[in-house]
Amino acid sequence: MKKLLIALAALMLTTVFASPAHAVENGEDATGSSFVVPLKVDKGNGVFGCSGALIAPSIVVTAGHCVLDANGLLTKNVYVGLAGSSQGSITLDDKIASVQITSTFSSGAGATVGDDDLAFLTLAKPQVVKVPIVLASEKQATDMKTSQAALKAIGYGRYGDTSSEVVTFPKSMTGSYSTTTTKYSNSAYMTTTKANACSGDSGSPILNITATQVTLVGILTGGSQSVYCSTKDSDGLYRALFTLVGRYANLAFSAATDVMNSQDQLLSTQLTQIANKDAQVNQYALLRDSLKEQLSTAQLSLDATNENLERIQAQLDSANLVIATLKKQLPQTIVCTKGKLTKKVTAVMPKC
């Protein structure tokens, strides 16, 4: 192809949303697809949109040029929305945790596509993978190319070549694996006559879907471009360039390792919190046992005091009985004196 392969650069997003726009010009509605996620990337000179492939609850694959800032440096200011949802629903809470990019990737000059244009994102907020997806090996990709296997692309690109509508939900297009060789060692073409990829479709999953398996063959990176969308070649075909994922299983593993490390850190934090709570519980248990022991001692002292009180009360009651008895037995003596005569009368009280 003599036409310049221009990167399907991420389209700039505004904060005002018009009526629902559609990715992939002349494509089919793919709202709710579990394979594609919307991306917003703060490049330092504006917020741009891309697409991505959800391959695991916490891992998304996208185009490498989507995660470079205005200076061509890797950025983590990437925000990923829910699969198949509106691109306008992305918030600052959707920022990724980490990014892994191919070591051999370098962005092409003048916004052109470079080779190995691939990046793996680790999500801070895991998503639900409704249908399992596998990465095509290099052999599988070669076999698909030979057989011109059916392919499907899903993305959040522009609605049309001259459309100013803001992208919301994704669109899909179907085509086939082209036997045409690209000038890049790890890229291939998807050809179609029905639809064409547009700005913002970078990072879109290129899938081979059968009755038993969904295979991610590559990630859409570019194509011959008019204004916003790709143009037909002289043979009447639209060609979309994509980077093959087969040889980058190591990056997928690295991204998965990031996820596991993050989960390990979270687990470690949770275990530490549990240990701290256990220590507090133990302290409270010791305090409780100490208070119970003090209470037991106080109860024993109270019981002893009550026994003493009962004993003293019994002694007092006994003394009162003795006194009462003595009072009954004690004779009353009255002495009357008249002159020098003294008369002592017992029991009966005389008159004096």
Side-chain angles (χ1 to χ4, degrees), residues 1-242:
M1 286 178 59
K2 295 182 179 180
K3 295 183 179 179
L4 180 64
L5 288 172
I6 305 294
L8 291 175
L11 74 101
M12 182 174 285
L13 300 172
T14 64
T15 56
V16 179
F17 296 99
S19 59
H22 310 284
V24 181
E25 187 173 16
N26 300 319
E28 299 293 329
D29 182 35
T31 301
S33 170
S34 62
F35 305 123
V36 64
V37 293
L39 272 65
K40 285 184 181 180
V41 185
D42 184 353
K43 290 179 174 283
N45 62 345
V47 178
F48 295 79
C50 268
S51 306
L54 182 67
I55 63 171
S58 295
I59 301 176
V60 165
V61 195
T62 188
H65 69 260
C66 282
V67 294
L68 301 183
D69 63 17
N71 298 313
L73 301 176
L74 195 64
T75 178
K76 283 179 62 178
N77 295 323
V78 181
Y79 306 85
V80 177
L82 289 175
S85 68
S86 167
Q87 195 171 51
S89 66
I90 300 175
T91 69
L92 294 177
D93 292 333
D94 298 321
K95 187 175 182 178
I96 64 169
S98 66
V99 56
Q100 301 281 345
I101 198 167
T102 56
S103 59
T104 52
F105 169 67
S106 60
S107 186
T112 56
V113 171
D115 205 356
D116 302 317
D117 194 353
L118 210 63
F120 286 78
L121 311 179
T122 302
L123 305 182
K125 295 165 60 177
Q127 299 193 27
V128 176
V129 178
K130 299 177 182 178
V131 179
I133 186 170
V134 299
L135 273 61
S137 66
E138 291 188 72
K139 182 181 184 305
Q140 284 176 311
T142 300
D143 291 343
M144 288 181 190
K145 181 176 182 178
T146 301
S147 64
Q148 299 184 58
L151 298 177
K152 185 173 188 176
I154 313 172
Y156 283 85
R158 286 264 190 169
Y159 177 73
D161 202 40
T162 58
S163 174
S164 60
E165 290 185 84
V166 177
V167 173
T168 51
F169 296 100
K171 278 279 188 173
S172 68
M173 64 178 180
T174 56
S176 58
Y177 202 130
S178 175
T179 55
T180 303
T181 301
T182 77
K183 68 177 183 178
Y184 303 107
S185 61
N186 192 47
S187 295
Y189 289 121
M190 171 183 173
T191 59
T192 177
T193 59
K194 299 178 180 179
N196 53 331
C198 300
S199 175
D201 282 323
S202 287
S204 297
I206 303 294
L207 305 168
N208 173 252
I209 302 175
T210 67
T212 58
Q213 183 171 288
V214 177
T215 304
L216 179 66
V217 184
I219 294 296
L220 195 149
T221 55
S224 56
Q225 189 169 314
S226 174
V227 180
Y228 295 119
C229 302
S230 56
T231 59
K232 276 186 180 181
D233 286 334
S234 57
D235 56 4
L237 295 175
Y238 292 105
R239 283 180 170 81
L241 184 74
F242 61 90

